[in-house]
Amino acid sequence: VPEVKKLGDPANLGLALVQAGRYPEAQGQFEAVLGLDKKDGDAAILLGICLYAQDKLDEAVRRLEEGLRLRPDSYDGHRHLALIYAKKKDWDRALKGFRRCAEISPSDAEPLLYIGSILSVRGQDGAAAAELQRAKALAPSDPRVLAHLALALTRTGAQPEALAAAEAALQLEPDNPTALNALGSSPMKTGAHDKALAAYRFLAQRDPKDPSLQLALGSVYYEKKELEEAARCFRAAADLNPRYALAWRNLGGVQYLQDRYVEAVASFEKAAQLDPKDEISGSFRVQAREAGVVWYLDQGGSAYIAGDFRAAQEAWNAVLVLRPGEPRALKYVDMAGKKLQEQET
């Protein structure tokens, strides 16, 4: 930058400042260039890039579009405009921009990587995998391409290919989160739970505040029949995001299997409240309530026969939580209460 400053050329100085990451200063230089020549498309695009780097997205869009009208074949202009639209989740415009980049530079894998990633976000996993395969042909050693390809292949059911791509990505970049996520997801469908567990543990330690990782980790423990660990992870996901309906539903499912019916009903009710369209939680809530009434009545009877009247009373009170006013539970609670009084006297 000091050497360029001696030249006093705002365009070259702006470029040097961009390369140095000094975007506010570079912005001033390109504004000066446009003050002298409003039809300088390169300066408008570079000004847009400076604004993008400072997260001034709306202004950046205006400048980039202005520059692209003058320089319609600018790869950097289309690329940064597409990045902005992707950041705004305007997927159609983002795809259009990255496809234009792929036309301008057909030997560059990056536009295909972005296209594949966006298609994957939109649930078009087959199309995403096809674009990412094209990207892999251009950049076979790019861990980003391999990782996103692995994730797309996992979702299409191509598990062996997905696993190979994920492992190749991790050899190049051991901490790649997308590859680890793919590695965690892929074995879930092939039965290799230990690999999935190791991948999700690593990701959860790396980002302990991400509830989706806790949910994924809990799902692996559930598949391994380790219900206590599964419940702990689903509870952690719900604690991190109390409005995470799926976490509450999964927690309720584990509690149901653990015969913790009162807690299961409460979890299913929470899930149903958060997602009124979730018919599954509503159905499970009814099942848990009915199963719990039968189970607690039986547990209370067994405890009463064994002379543990306090445990019997607690079990029958649980029935009343699930089904207030249940006549048998009311009668049995009274019976157990009288036995406890007799014991005390």
Side-chain angles (χ1 to χ4, degrees), residues 316-345:
W316 290 328
N317 275 324
V319 174
L320 294 172
V321 172
L322 295 171
R323 189 187 290 168
E326 162 61 42
R328 292 170 295 176
L330 289 169
K331 176 183 175 182
Y332 297 156
V333 166
D334 184 58
M335 286 169 44
K338 289 177 179 178
K339 287 292 185 181
L340 286 170
Q341 286 181 351
E342 289 175 11
Q343 285 182 342
E344 290 173 1
T345 56

Side-chain angles (χ1 to χ4, degrees), residues 278-320:
D278 179 10
E279 296 179 0
I280 295 174
S281 292
S283 174
F284 284 164
R285 176 182 55 191
V286 173
Q287 291 180 40
R289 180 176 285 116
E290 295 308 309
V293 167
V294 173
W295 193 80
Y296 287 123
L297 282 171
D298 182 66
Q299 291 296 303
S302 298
Y304 188 90
I305 292 169
D308 190 346
F309 304 119
R310 191 166 301 283
Q313 191 177 55
E314 289 174 359
W316 290 328
N317 275 324
V319 174
L320 294 172

Side-chain angles (χ1 to χ4, degrees), residues 176-310:
N176 187 296
T178 306
L180 286 165
N181 193 14
L183 189 64
S185 301
S186 182
M188 287 290 287
K189 298 179 183 177
T190 60
H193 297 115
D194 291 338
K195 284 187 178 181
L197 200 59
Y200 282 130
R201 274 177 177 164
F202 180 88
L203 289 169
Q205 289 171 358
R206 178 174 173 153
D207 190 359
K209 293 185 178 180
D210 186 342
S212 67
L213 294 175
Q214 292 295 332
L215 188 80
L217 192 55
S219 298
V220 181
Y221 280 122
Y222 178 84
E223 293 288 332
K224 287 169 64 67
K225 312 299 183 189
E226 296 183 27
L227 298 184
E228 280 296 331
E229 285 299 310
R232 180 185 62 77
C233 293
F234 292 144
R235 168 62 71 179
D239 288 342
L240 288 166
N241 179 7
R243 300 192 61 78
Y244 201 170
L246 186 56
W248 287 108
R249 189 175 88 184
N250 286 3
L251 178 60
V254 173
Q255 291 165 336
Y256 181 97
L257 294 174
Q258 293 176 310
D259 298 325
R260 293 158 55 187
Y261 295 105
V262 173
E263 295 170 80
V265 168
S267 295
F268 288 135
E269 283 180 347
K270 184 73 173 176
Q273 288 170 2
L274 291 169
D275 184 3
K277 295 180 181 179
D278 179 10
E279 296 179 0
I280 295 174
S281 292
S283 174
F284 284 164
R285 176 182 55 191
V286 173
Q287 291 180 40
R289 180 176 285 116
E290 295 308 309
V293 167
V294 173
W295 193 80
Y296 287 123
L297 282 171
D298 182 66
Q299 291 296 303
S302 298
Y304 188 90
I305 292 169
D308 190 346
F309 304 119
R310 191 166 301 283

